[in-house]
């Protein structure tokens, strides 16, 4: 089996895409969970503000999600552009 | 096996530490706390027993007529079960520890508390059972008709996907069950609501492990054209890694979200509806990165 340069570059790009998305999913997953747990705690203490708290939770989670989306973008770039 | 033992050891250690804390609070109830600790540890141990079974099969079977694909499949089976046992071992320790502390607080409801703990930690074992299923399929499938080059990476990737993918859901399911045991000890009256929400939360926490199982089944059962290039093989390996690692975070995160929901429903069950809704919305958002990982994994298998 002969291995050419282009083949190795492609192989490395695929591996990099997988690792990028995989590792990149850890942080947002854990962080969004923490946000949701705190929102539940706050609603438990002060149920009247449930609407406001859920909104704040979603905004916080959307920001925490951004690094996950960066990873997704990088993975897609590695798969289809490189 | 080695990885599998890590999880069980951490889980059991946590249980023992919590049991000691509970003992210092309520020394008269030592017998009950000790019993609860042992039951909880036995369940945490079961994940590592699964790993032991797979390791024994690997050691004592005759694989002398296998190809390189068989070698990769056996390696994948070992990785699947080893990583897969970590999460369930750690996770099952959490409810056992919380039950010990709860017993010290409320010795009168030991029966209800133990039942709740057992349900919670049994559900924690499911990710390691998923990993065991993948390990057995890898051990006993016949790959002699498949071309060596991409298939080795597919079976290795399948093992990594379901093994790593089980870590997060095991730990996450454990934190839900911990919150539930704690909640039942605080508010025995809310037992039914708390158990129901716990099961709902644990079920959703399992989804990253189920996505990982799905990807590993696709990797095992798809047939690949023979190739001399290394890129298609790396795409399959990366697909398994991507789904496996990507499922860790959402699994743990959904567990944390759901444990918050369960804990506060136990304290304030009159607003169970509001809390369940917020919990579910939060978990759905936490799930999104697992779904991105699955998309990338499927693109790696089917498109590139």
């Amino acid at each position: 089996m002969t291995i050419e340069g282009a083949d190795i570059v492609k192989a490395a790009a695929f591996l990099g895409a997988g690792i990028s998305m995989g590792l990149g999913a850890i942080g947002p997953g854990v962080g969004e969970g923490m946000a949701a747990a705190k929102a539940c705690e706050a609603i438990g203490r002060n149920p009247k503000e449930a609407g406001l708290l859920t909104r704040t939770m979603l905004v916080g989670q959307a920001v925490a999600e951004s690094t996950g989306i960066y990873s997704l973008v990088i993975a897609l770039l590695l798969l289809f552009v490189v | 096996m080695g990885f599998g033992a890590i999880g069980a050891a951490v889980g059991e250690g946590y249980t023992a530490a919590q049991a000691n804390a509970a003992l210092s609070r309520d020394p008269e109830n030592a017998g009950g706390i000790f019993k609860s600790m042992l039951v909880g540890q036995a369940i945490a141990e079961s994940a590592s027993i699964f790993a032991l079974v797979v390791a024994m099969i690997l050691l004592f079977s005759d694989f002398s007529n296998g190809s390189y694909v068989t070698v990769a499949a056996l390696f994948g089976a070992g990785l699947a079960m080893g990583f897969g046992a970590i999460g369930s071992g750690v996770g099952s320790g959490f409810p056992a520890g919380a039950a010990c502390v709860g017993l010290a607080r409320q010795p009168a409801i030991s029966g209800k508390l133990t039942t709740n703990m057992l349900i919670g930690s049994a559900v924690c074992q499911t990710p390691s059972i998923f990993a065991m299923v993948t390990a057995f399929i890898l051990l006993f499938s016949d790959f002699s008709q498949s071309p060596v080059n991409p298939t080795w990476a597919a079976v290795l990737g399948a093992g990594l996907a379901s093994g790593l993918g089980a870590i997060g859901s095991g730990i996450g399911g454990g934190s839900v069950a911990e919150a539930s045991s704690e909640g039942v000890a605080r508010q025995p009256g809310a037992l039914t609501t708390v158990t129901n929400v716990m099961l709902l939360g644990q079920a959703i926490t399992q989804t990253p492990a189920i996505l990982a199982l799905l990807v590993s089944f696709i990797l095992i059962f798809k047939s690949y054209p023979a190739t001399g290039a290394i890129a298609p093989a790396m795409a399959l390996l990366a697909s398994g890694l991507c789904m496996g690692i990507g499922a860790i975070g959402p699994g743990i995160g959904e567990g944390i979200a759901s444990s918050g929901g369960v804990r506060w429903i136990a304290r304030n069950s009159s607003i169970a509806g509001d809390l369940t809704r917020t919990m579910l919305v939060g978990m759905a958002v936490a799930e999104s990165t697992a779904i991105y990982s699955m998309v990338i994994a499927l693109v790696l298998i089917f498109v590139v």
Side-chain angles (χ1 to χ4, degrees), chain B residues 16-36:
Chain B
Q18 290 290 78
N20 281 333
L23 274 177
S24 65
R25 193 186 286 207
D26 182 8
E28 289 92 52
N29 195 22
I33 292 172
F34 196 64
K35 199 172 71 195
S36 163

Side-chain angles (χ1 to χ4, degrees), chain B residues 223-249:
Chain B
S223 60
Y224 305 97
T227 168
I230 200 158
M234 277 307 147
L236 298 174
L237 187 61
S239 159
L241 265 179
C242 174
M243 187 64 241
I245 303 175
I248 297 178

Side-chain angles (χ1 to χ4, degrees), chain B residues 166-197:
Chain B
I167 295 179
S169 296
I171 298 179
S175 40
V176 183
E178 179 188 28
S180 161
S181 291
E182 187 196 314
V184 169
R186 250 174 221 276
Q187 293 282 356
L191 176 71
T192 321
T193 323
V194 168
T195 310
N196 284 341
V197 179

Side-chain angles (χ1 to χ4, degrees), chain B residues 40-143:
Chain B
Q41 284 186 325
I43 298 182
E45 186 73 27
S46 65
S48 76
I49 294 173
F50 296 159
L52 183 70
V53 169
V54 171
M56 288 291 174
I57 294 175
L58 281 171
L59 283 177
F60 295 115
S61 302
D62 178 23
F63 297 109
S64 52
N65 55 356
S67 65
Y68 286 116
V69 178
T70 316
V71 176
L74 299 179
F75 204 60
L79 286 174
M81 195 60 246
F83 283 127
I86 294 180
S88 297
V90 175
S92 291
F94 291 160
C100 289
V101 175
L103 273 180
R105 191 178 285 186
Q106 296 262 25
I109 55 152
S110 69
K112 282 180 179 175
L113 196 55
T114 310
T115 313
N116 184 275
M117 175 195 86
L118 286 177
I119 297 175
S121 40
V123 180
C124 288
Q125 294 298 323
T126 49
S128 74
I129 294 172
F130 292 162
M132 190 166 67
V133 169
T134 309
F136 278 140
I137 292 176
L138 286 172
L139 283 175
F140 298 116
S141 296
D142 179 20
F143 294 106

